[in-house]
Amino acid sequence: MASKTSKTYVPTIGLEIHAELRTETKMFCDSKNDPFASAPNTNVCPVCMGHPGTLPVINKKAVEHVLRVGVALGAELADFTEFDRKNYFYPDIPKGYQISQYKYPLVRGGALGGVAITRVHLEEDTASSGHDEGDYSLIDFNRAGVPLMELVTEPVIHSAEEAGAFGRELQLLLRTLGVSEANMEKGEMRVEANISVATEEDTVARKFGTKVEVKNLNSFKAAEKAIAYEVARHIEVIESGGAIVQETRGWDDSKSKTFSQRLKEESHDYRYFPDPDLPKLKISEIPEFSLDNLRKTIPELPWDKRARLAALGLKPADVHIYVSIPDVGAFFEETIAALGAGDPKKAKKDAILLASNYISSDILGLIKKKHGEGREAEIGRLPFGAAGFAALIRMIENKTISSRGAKDILAEMFENGGDPAKIATERGLVQKSDEGAVKKIALEVIAENPAVADEYKKGKQASLQFLIGQGMKKSKGSANPEVLKTILASLLS
Ligand code: ADP
Ligand code: MG
């Protein structure tokens, strides 16, 4: 019996990502933009409640945020743009339509981490509904009308991991630009994944398979798991002679499974048309939105920061920490500025690498021990600052203290702050470099270990290491090992 030949399938993924924008007020009214206000239905007004006769006004800051995202992505910014009504009926949308952008998005093209972007547009968020209170639903309009950015990628992602990496990089970008908190767990950032599979040949020819769209992904891990689940399901359906139906599916995190929600609606179902209540925008006529002005508002972007830190010779793991956890990155940058007496470019390479090692292993280690996992931002609340830490690093560098002594001093600073030089003196951790003191220790060590000293005299080099070790122990780590070595060697020569 000939076995069924299994083909190689390639997954194709396109992402649609929404992010709530950080502004004072909502997208089209002056209600406070605070979707997580503890009392429901408090940040509301007749405009975001959709009362008849009210008129929306465009939030300029929200437009600026999306344009800045466009600049960072190297995308094309619209000159002409307008808002459209996306009509549908659901209790979370009081007007019976959502104001969005259809034909003229603010941003087109660009790329992030090698993934081509189709578009980025601006719209308003819907109210949030709670269905877990028995046989009724509760609606909170605090979120209704909050500015929402939607970014759509081209179908160019080919694995769950790549999709997760894209989401994380976008989150980092949005936070760097200060346009969104982009917290997945809070729904400030929402990822929808469009997934299909096709044979390698067909994929190369861009003949993709039928796609499904998966929603309710409230973490990057969930997104990755859902994509992997769907890819396996598609292959199984196709291999067993079935066909994938185009539909929207939900992700059940507790079961680690997707489930069918509804058949996909087509865009013509929404009867998009330009919103007659809102002015059309000509971006070139708004001076603040000139490319030059927008560029001035862009801070160092994650990929530029990554390249700059890597060029310092830092370990990739350390670079990753400084780029992805801003508070730790800031502490590192302040430290190298202090090491260079105000100018990070003047900091010595060895001192920079030493500081980086102490930050990523020792300081973060102490934080983890005291506060637990994921609390790296505590680095901004330590009882010592980057200047005190840099002073400690300099003392290790010029061998005033040993690395063992440094760890004790750091532990003390971590608990109670203080000046590292003073702590070193108080604890007798300043390395003894003066010949007299070290010679005394050397003579004691030789007297206590005559046999080992003899071995060294007969040519066994390792014996010297042993004697240095004994001397360091005797001095409680305070002898300068270089000086100790020289003296021992000359006494035994
Ligand atoms: P729709 O009209 O169904 O919303 P779009 O063309 O607007 O589809 O694409 C929505 C998202 O789906 C985009 O991110 C796009 O890259 C992705 N996409 C489109 N076709 C496919 C496919 N066959 N497989 C995977 N993703 C796809
Ligand atoms: Mg679409």
Side-chain angles (χ1 to χ4, degrees):
M1 195 182 90
S3 72
K4 195 166 84 177
T5 49
S6 190
K7 297 178 192 139
T8 318
Y9 292 92
V10 176
T12 293
I13 300 139
L15 301 173
E16 294 170 278
I17 302 184
H18 287 89
E20 285 177 350
L21 300 180
R22 195 153 83 182
T23 56
E24 289 296 314
T25 55
K26 289 187 180 180
M27 187 61 230
F28 298 111
C29 62
D30 62 5
S31 291
K32 197 168 172 216
N33 174 2
D34 180 14
F36 304 108
S38 52
N41 297 307
T42 46
N43 297 323
V44 294
C45 76
V47 177
C48 55
M49 293 299 287
H51 290 192
T54 57
L55 281 174
V57 176
I58 299 169
N59 184 329
K60 206 167 179 177
K61 193 76 196 171
V63 175
E64 186 189 329
H65 279 336
V66 174
L67 290 173
R68 290 173 67 234
V69 170
V71 172
L73 297 172
E76 182 195 329
L77 308 187
D79 183 22
F80 174 85
T81 190
E82 66 182 2
F83 289 92
D84 297 281
R85 291 185 179 181
K86 178 181 181 179
N87 299 281
Y88 69 97
F89 175 78
Y90 199 70
D92 67 5
I93 197 87
K95 297 189 290 294
Y97 59 85
Q98 178 189 29
I99 305 177
S100 182
Q101 295 194 289
Y102 188 55
K103 212 168 162 188
Y104 298 99
L106 273 166
V107 170
R108 282 180 211 265
L112 179 68
V115 172
I117 309 297
T118 312
R119 57 187 274 153
V120 190
H121 71 248
L122 191 50
E123 57 190 35
E124 57 179 338
D125 209 346
T126 58
S128 43
S129 21
H131 307 293
D132 33 37
E133 305 262 345
D135 57 357
Y136 55 89
S137 291
L138 292 171
I139 309 231
D140 178 2
F141 288 90
N142 285 340
R143 203 182 70 179
V146 161
L148 198 63
M149 179 198 102
E150 178 173 354
L151 176 148
V152 182
T153 78
E154 290 289 291
V156 291
I157 298 169
H158 296 292
S159 73
E161 296 71 34
E162 229 189 295
F166 178 88
R168 291 185 182 94
E169 188 73 344
L170 179 65
Q171 179 184 60
L172 196 53
L173 175 65
L174 298 178
R175 289 176 175 174
T176 303
L177 293 173
V179 307
S180 176
E181 304 288 341
N183 209 314
M184 288 275 283
E185 287 74 9
K186 285 178 158 176
E188 290 162 334
M189 178 166 165
R190 291 163 231 157
V191 174
E192 286 152 26
N194 297 271
I195 304 148
S196 65
V197 307
T199 59
E200 212 162 344
E201 261 190 296
D202 282 349
T203 304
V204 170
R206 289 184 65 91
K207 279 191 266 170
F208 303 131
T210 302
K211 71 175 160 89
V212 300
E213 180 174 346
V214 182
K215 293 182 188 276
N216 310 346
L217 303 169
N218 51 19
S219 70
F220 294 118
K221 265 269 148 294
E224 288 172 352
K225 282 201 266 180
I227 291 168
Y229 178 88
E230 273 303 300
V231 169
R233 188 181 69 84
H234 285 216
I235 294 172
E236 209 176 294
V237 169
I238 296 166
E239 284 278 278
S240 59
I244 294 295
V245 280
Q246 185 166 337
E247 62 182 346
T248 301
R249 298 176 73 88
W251 170 249
D252 184 331
D253 212 29
S254 60
K255 292 194 189 127
S256 276
K257 277 180 171 180
T258 65
F259 57 92
S260 181
Q261 281 184 319
R262 58 185 147 92
L263 295 182
K264 173 85 183 162
E265 52 288 277
E266 301 285 341
S267 61
H268 61 247
D269 295 339
Y270 292 120
R271 304 292 300 268
Y272 280 101
F273 68 91
D275 192 314
D277 287 345
L278 286 162
K280 309 201 180 293
L281 298 181
K282 189 115 172 79
I283 301 293
S284 56
E285 284 169 5
I286 307 169
E288 299 106 289
F289 295 165
S290 74
L291 201 51
D292 270 358
N293 278 331
L294 291 170
R295 281 207 180 109
K296 277 184 212 145
T297 70
I298 309 284
E300 183 179 36
L301 296 171
W303 44 93
D304 293 329
K305 185 169 183 176
R306 223 172 260 139
R308 178 172 59 81
L309 296 182
L312 292 174
L314 304 189
K315 291 185 284 196
D318 288 7
V319 173
H320 178 73
I321 292 171
Y322 304 146
V323 174
S324 58
I325 314 174
D327 300 82
V328 185
F331 189 88
F332 171 74
E333 306 268 7
E334 285 165 33
T335 300
I336 59 171
L339 285 172
D343 181 358
K345 290 202 176 65
K346 294 216 174 94
K348 283 190 295 174
K349 185 170 170 172
D350 287 351
I352 294 172
L353 300 187
L354 194 61
S356 191
N357 280 339
Y358 272 83
I359 293 173
S360 62
S361 44
D362 297 274
I363 298 185
L364 292 186
L366 289 164
I367 290 173
K368 190 169 163 188
K369 207 161 129 205
K370 180 163 181 175
H371 300 282
E373 206 71 60
R375 298 284 301 279
E376 293 89 350
E378 289 295 326
I379 200 163
R381 283 182 284 274
L382 297 176
F384 64 95
F389 174 63
L392 177 74
I393 294 298
R394 258 189 247 106
M395 287 165 64
I396 307 169
E397 264 261 297
N398 62 28
K399 303 210 161 61
T400 306
I401 53 173
S402 66
S403 54
R404 205 196 92 176
K407 288 185 203 300
D408 290 350
I409 298 170
L410 190 60
E412 167 65 20
M413 289 166 78
F414 184 80
E415 285 309 324
N416 305 309
D419 171 26
K422 200 163 156 240
I423 299 169
T425 314
E426 281 166 5
R427 301 198 167 192
L429 291 171
V430 176
Q431 294 201 105
K432 295 185 180 69
S433 298
D434 81 283
E435 301 240 346
V438 181
K439 190 169 178 184
K440 191 168 159 262
I441 294 167
L443 287 167
E444 282 175 30
V445 170
I446 293 169
E448 286 163 19
N449 302 279
V452 185
D454 236 39
E455 279 168 14
Y456 173 70
K457 277 189 193 161
K458 288 186 189 134
K460 192 172 168 196
Q461 286 299 316
S463 303
L464 184 63
Q465 273 316 312
F466 175 81
L467 296 173
I468 295 169
Q470 293 302 304
M472 292 306 292
K473 218 185 220 170
K474 202 174 246 311
S475 74
K476 298 198 187 71
S478 73
N480 181 325
E482 289 303 316
V483 177
L484 179 62
K485 182 179 176 182
T486 316
I487 292 177
L488 276 169
S490 79
L491 286 171
L492 295 174
S493 66

